[in-house]
C-alpha cells in the first residue's frame, strides 16, 4: 500500500473534552460538582486514564459572554488556565495525554512554544496543543488589541505562528542540543530566539485543530496531527475522512497522517429503553427555565422574563435586526426578526413550549450516542472497521462522574470486540495515538 491510500487501523480511542461555557453540562443536579475545583479535574482525568483514554482536553475562554449588555450570569463562570491545570494533572497521571487549547491570535509564538515545551517535558512527553484562532474585537479588547486581525487573515497568521513554533521545537540538532537560532519576520510580529529547553520524549507536542471551514480543513491537513471534528454521525464522518485524506495528500502528507476525533456525547444504560429514559432526564436538566428564556433573549435583544418557559414563544418581535458578536459564536450574525418568525411557526407546528423548543435547538442531536452498552459498542465497531474516525472526544454531561458509565461498561464491550486498546502503547501521547515522529530540518529559517 502507498502513502496516498488510506488504511483503516480497525481501532478507536477516546478523549475527554472538559468544557467551560456550554449548554451540555448539567450543573444543578445533586450529583454535579464544581468546574473550577481541582478535585473535579483529578476525578475525571484519573477515571479517563483507568479507561485507557488517549487524552484529556481543556477548552479555553478569553472573555465572558455578554447578555443584554452585561456579563451572562447563567453561564458557567471562569475556568482555570489550561496549562496550569494540565501541569497539576501531570503529577497525578502517568499515561494520558494533556491537551491545552491556546489561541494563536492572542499569544506570542516563542513564549507559547516555551510553555508547551515545559508541559511536554514535565509530563514525560504527553503534551498537546489545540490550535485555535479568533478575530473578534470583543475578545481582543481584553488584550488591548481590539479587532486588529482581519477575518481573512486568521489562518495566514496562524500558519506563520505554528510554523514558527515548530521551528523552535525542531531547532535541536540532537535531543540534548545544541539548539539553533530561529528567526521570523512577519506582518504581526518578529521572532529572534534560541530555544532553552531540549526536546521531550515525544520530540514535540502533538497538534490538534478544530476548524471546519475550507480554510480550516486545509490548515489542519498541512499542520495538524489530530482534528477535533464536528462530524460524529457515521455517513458524515466517512465523508469528512475522505475530504481530509484528499487534502492531506494534496499537502504532501500521507493519507493516514491526520487523525480524526469528533466531538461526542454518550448517554448509556443497560438497555435501550433505560438509555432513552436517561436521555430525557439529561435533556430536562441541561436547559432549565431560566436558560430557556435567556437563550431567546440573546436573539430577541430584550428581556423576556415575563414569559412562561412552559408557554408559547413570545409574540413580540426582536428589537435587533441582526445579533452581534458579543453574544458568543453560537448567536453571532443571526437575522433576528426573520428567525423569530421561523421559530414561532416551527414551535406552533410541533406544539413545543419555549423550554422544549430551546432544548431541541441546543441538544447535541448529531453528536449524541444513546443506547445500551452493547448496541453502542456494536455501532462504534463499525466506525473502527471502515476507519470513519480514529476516536471520539467525549464531552461528559455530568462532572465529575460523567465518564463512569463509559469506562465501567462501554470500554470493556469495545475491548471484547478488539477495537479499543487494553493497554497504553507507550509512555508518550504520540506513541499512544500511533503517530509518527516528525522529521524536519533544523536550519535557521527566515519567513516574511
Amino acid at each position: 500500500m502507498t502513502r496516498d491510500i488510506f488504511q483503516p487501523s480497525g481501532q478507536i480511542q477516546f478523549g475527554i473534552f472538559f468544557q467551560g461555557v456550554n449548554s451540555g453540562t448539567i450543573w444543578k443536579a445533586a450529583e454535579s460538582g464544581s468546574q473550577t475545583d481541582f478535585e473535579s479535574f483529578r476525578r475525571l482525568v484519573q477515571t479517563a486514564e483507568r479507561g485507557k483514554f488517549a487524552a484529556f482536553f481543556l477548552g479555553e475562554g478569553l472573555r465572558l459572554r455578554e447578555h443584554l449588555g452585561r456579563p451572562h450570569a447563567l453561564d458557567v463562570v471562569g475556568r482555570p488556565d489550561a496549562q496550569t491545570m494540565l501541569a497539576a494533572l501531570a503529577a497525578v497521571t502517568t499515561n494520558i495525554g494533556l491537551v491545552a487549547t491556546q489561541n494563536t491570535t492572542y499569544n506570542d509564538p516563542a513564549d507559547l512554544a516555551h510553555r508547551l515545551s515545559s508541559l511536554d517535558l514535565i509530563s514525560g512527553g504527553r503534551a498537546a496543543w489545540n490550535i485555535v484562532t479568533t478575530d473578534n474585537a470583543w475578545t481582543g479588547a481584553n488584550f488591548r488589541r481590539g479587532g486588529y486581525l482581519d477575518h481573512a487573515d486568521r489562518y495566514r497568521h496562524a500558519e506563520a505562528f505554528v510554523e514558527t513554533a515548530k521551528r523552535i521545537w525542531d531547532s535541536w540538532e540532537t535531543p540534548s542540543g545544541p539548539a539553533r537560532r530561529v528567526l521570523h519576520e512577519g506582518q504581526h510580529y518578529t521572532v529572534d530566539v534560541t530555544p532553552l529547553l531540549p526536546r521531550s520524549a515525544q520530540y514535540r507536542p502533538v497538534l490538534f485543530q478544530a476548524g471546519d471551514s475550507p480554510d480550516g480543513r486545509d490548515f489542519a491537513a498541512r499542520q495538524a496531527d489530530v482534528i477535533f471534528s464536528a462530524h460524529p454521525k457515521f455517513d458524515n464522518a466517512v465523508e469528512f475522512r475522505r475530504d481530509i485524506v484528499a487534502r492531506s495528500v494534496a499537502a504532501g502528507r500521507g493519507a493516514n497522517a491526520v487523525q480524526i476525533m469528533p466531538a461526542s456525547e454518550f448517554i448509556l444504560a443497560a438497555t435501550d429503553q433505560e438509555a432513552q429514559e436517561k436521555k430525557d432526564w439529561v435533556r430536562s436538566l441541561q436547559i432549565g427555565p431560566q436558560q430557556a428564556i435567556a437563550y431567546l433573549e440573546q436573539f430577541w435583544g430584550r428581556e423576556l422574563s415575563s414569559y412562561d418557559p412552559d408557554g408559547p414563544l413570545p409574540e413580540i418581535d426582536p428589537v435587533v435586526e441582526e445579533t452581534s458578536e458579543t453574544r458568543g459564536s453560537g448567536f453571532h450574525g443571526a437575522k433576528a426578526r426573520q428567525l423569530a418568525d421561523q421559530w414561532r411557526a416551527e414551535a406552533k407546528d410541533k406544539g413545543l413550549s419555549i423550554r422544549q423548543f430551546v432544548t431541541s435547538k441546543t441538544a447535541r442531536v448529531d453528536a449524541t450516542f444513546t443506547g445500551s452498552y452493547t448496541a453502542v459498542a456494536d455501532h462504534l465497531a463499525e466506525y473502527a472497521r471502515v476507519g470513519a474516525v480514529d476516536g471520539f472526544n467525549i464531552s461528559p454531561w455530568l462532572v465529575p462522574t460523567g465518564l463512569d458509565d463509559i469506562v465501567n461498561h462501554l470500554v470493556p464491550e469495545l475491548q471484547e470486540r478488539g477495537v479499543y486498546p487494553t493497554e497504553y502503547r507507550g509512555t508518550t501521547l504520540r506513541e499512544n495515538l500511533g503517530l509518527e515522529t516528525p522529521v524536519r530540518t533544523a536550519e535557521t529559517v527566515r519567513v516574511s
Side-chain angles (χ1 to χ4, degrees), residues 49 68 84 100 115 135 160 179 321 335 372 391 422 432 446:
E49 188 165 66
L68 302 181
T84 303
R115 287 187 284 117
D135 61 345
E321 293 289 342
K335 305 296 183 183
S372 69
T422 57
N432 291 326
R446 183 185 298 268

Side-chain angles (χ1 to χ4, degrees), residues 57-108:
F57 192 114
L58 285 180
E60 177 186 64
L62 298 179
R63 177 169 169 162
L64 295 178
R65 183 156 56 94
E66 294 179 9
H67 182 71
L68 302 181
R70 302 181 297 274
H72 195 352
L74 295 177
D75 270 349
V76 177
V77 178
R79 73 189 95 181
D81 171 71
Q83 290 191 61
T84 303
M85 178 57 71
L86 293 175
L89 295 177
V92 296
T93 56
T94 304
N95 295 104
I96 194 167
L98 304 166
V99 189
T101 300
Q102 301 285 271
N103 199 301
T104 58
T105 308
Y106 300 115
N107 277 291
D108 294 299

Side-chain angles (χ1 to χ4, degrees), residues 231-242 379 383 386 388:
H231 302 278
K233 289 190 71 174
F234 186 82
D235 290 343
N236 291 341
V238 170
E239 180 55 37
F240 185 76
R241 167 70 80 184
R242 291 196 189 103
H379 187 41
Y383 281 78
V386 304

Side-chain angles (χ1 to χ4, degrees), residues 306-443:
S306 62
Y307 285 84
D308 181 1
D310 295 316
L313 268 65
E315 71 283 357
I316 58 175
D317 286 331
V319 297
V320 293
E321 293 289 342
E322 181 175 308
T323 57
S324 74
E325 62 189 2
T326 64
R327 305 178 192 198
S329 59
F331 303 89
H332 182 203
K335 305 296 183 183
R337 291 177 182 268
Q338 178 182 339
L339 199 64
D341 289 338
Q342 293 173 352
W343 281 3
R344 281 191 288 250
E346 181 182 345
K348 183 178 180 180
D349 181 61
K350 295 179 179 178
L352 300 177
S353 67
I354 290 175
R355 186 173 177 183
Q356 291 169 328
F357 182 80
V358 172
T359 297
S360 74
K361 291 299 179 186
T362 57
R364 302 167 182 163
V365 177
D366 290 345
T368 302
F369 294 88
T370 304
S372 69
Y373 309 118
T374 299
V376 172
D378 287 340
H379 187 41
L380 298 188
E382 183 64 9
Y383 281 78
R385 185 186 68 81
V386 304
V389 301
D390 296 281
F392 295 92
N393 215 16
I394 300 169
S395 297
W397 43 266
L398 191 63
V399 171
T401 60
L403 296 182
D404 291 4
D405 273 357
I406 297 168
V407 170
N408 294 339
H409 301 289
L410 179 60
V411 164
E413 293 269 3
L414 293 170
Q415 289 171 331
E416 288 180 5
R417 289 160 177 76
V419 299
Y420 189 91
T422 57
E423 296 294 340
Y424 285 103
R425 300 182 193 181
T427 60
T428 71
L429 177 57
R430 196 172 295 279
E431 288 175 308
N432 291 326
L433 289 173
L435 295 169
E436 295 181 358
T437 298
V439 177
R440 291 169 62 90
T441 62
E443 296 180 0

